[in-house]
Amino acid sequence: MIGKAMMTIAAALALAAPAPARDKPANATLSLTRLDCGTVRVNRLNAFSDTAAYPGQSRDLTVGCYLIRHGDQLMLWDLGLPTALKDAAFSADGDMSATVRKSLVEQLAELGIRPDDIDVVGVSHFHFDHIGQLPDFPAAKLYIGKRDWDLLTQSEPPAFLDPKPFARWISGGGTVEPVARDKDIFGDGRVVMLDMPGHTPGHHVLLVRLANMGSVLLSGDQAYFQENYDGNGVPEFNTDRAQTLASFDRFKALANNLGATVIIQHEPRDVAKLPAFPKAAE
């Protein structure tokens, strides 16, 4: 009797349950273009290791931003250094300096794109070299990790945070979607923000699945350069060591399982993995 009742309940539930969601057709064209958002000279590379892995070393790092075309939708991933650095280089106590050669607005103009044409902006995290030109795209919908957003929107944000680039979205003048876990940006599984906390509480990376090139993983600041990536290096300023290492595990497993091209966004050697501007990877 109990068995028959259970079967009846199971059958009823099966009839009542919605049909499994089918993947949306991947008809929209998709491309990825690398943009130049500046250069950072690091004079104390040991700041990028809490195990003192780089004593006495210095290095030049790139600042990469990315344009994603998804059908008729345009997205920017990370917004680079502020354009004010075109006129005056930034210096932080001799540990690092930063410069910008050409703004995002100028580079997009070469592609026939105006700031108001950008539909979506996504930021990997809230550090200044990833959000500097965000105010130049006020019409775009902003995606940012929820835990980063929560810090930015506190009544008194931490002293190390500068919420000014986010002012339009914080005030409600722009549309924002805080991303708590992973986020499929266009709903077809081909452009996905992936939750990789540790560098900051809400840090994310971006997966882009291109038709010809295959999967591409844009690192945010999961790693800064190849040796840092290979050794699962944790910068001394990361917010959570255990989360950083767990995110490395997830990132590398995804890269392996998807056969993805890994783009370490600050690694000059990775620039050549994508076509030179203005060409795009497809």
Side-chain angles (χ1 to χ4, degrees), residues 31-55:
S31 68
L32 176 65
T33 305
R34 185 190 183 277
L35 305 169
D36 180 1
C37 283
T39 302
V40 175
R41 173 68 178 178
V42 178
N43 297 316
R44 188 174 73 87
L45 204 62
N46 244 357
F48 296 89
S49 168
D50 65 0
T51 59
Y54 316 111

Side-chain angles (χ1 to χ4, degrees), residues 55-172:
Q57 296 184 41
S58 60
R59 185 169 297 204
D60 289 325
L61 301 178
T62 59
V63 180
C65 302
Y66 302 87
L67 171 69
I68 295 125
R69 293 178 183 264
H70 181 277
D72 59 359
Q73 297 281 296
L74 296 175
M75 174 182 178
L76 288 174
W77 173 252
D78 278 344
L79 283 300
L81 291 159
T83 53
L85 297 181
K86 289 177 64 178
D87 301 318
F90 162 83
S91 180
D93 301 325
D95 284 348
M96 66 173 63
S97 59
T99 57
V100 172
R101 186 179 65 87
K102 186 181 290 188
S103 72
L104 277 172
V105 171
E106 291 170 322
Q107 292 174 75
L108 292 172
E110 295 181 41
L111 300 173
I113 298 171
R114 300 167 302 176
D116 286 352
D117 293 332
I118 299 297
D119 302 287
V120 174
V121 288
V123 295
S124 59
H125 62 294
F126 51 47
H127 286 159
F128 82 107
D129 55 327
H130 293 258
I131 62 168
Q133 298 174 57
L134 179 60
D136 294 332
F137 303 93
K141 180 177 181 178
L142 169 65
Y143 289 91
I144 180 174
K146 183 180 185 301
R147 292 178 293 276
D148 279 6
W149 184 249
D150 290 344
L151 285 177
L152 284 163
T153 54
Q154 288 180 358
S155 57
E156 293 186 14
F160 60 84
L161 277 183
D162 180 10
K164 288 194 293 293
F166 297 93
R168 176 174 175 81
W169 292 270
I170 292 174
S171 70

Side-chain angles (χ1 to χ4, degrees), residues 29-33 66-70 75-77 183-186 188-194 205-219 251 254 258-263 265 274 281-282:
T29 57
L30 185 66
S31 68
L32 176 65
T33 305
Y66 302 87
L67 171 69
I68 295 125
R69 293 178 183 264
H70 181 277
M75 174 182 178
L76 288 174
W77 173 252
K183 176 63 181 181
D184 183 350
I185 300 296
F186 299 108
D188 60 5
R190 294 191 295 158
V191 181
V192 185
M193 284 180 66
L194 299 170
V205 307
L206 192 71
L207 169 65
V208 183
R209 297 174 183 260
L210 298 168
N212 296 328
M213 186 173 179
S215 295
V216 176
L217 277 167
L218 302 175
S219 71
F251 188 98
L254 279 167
L258 297 175
T261 298
V262 171
I263 306 293
Q265 292 183 211
L274 293 174
E282 297 179 345

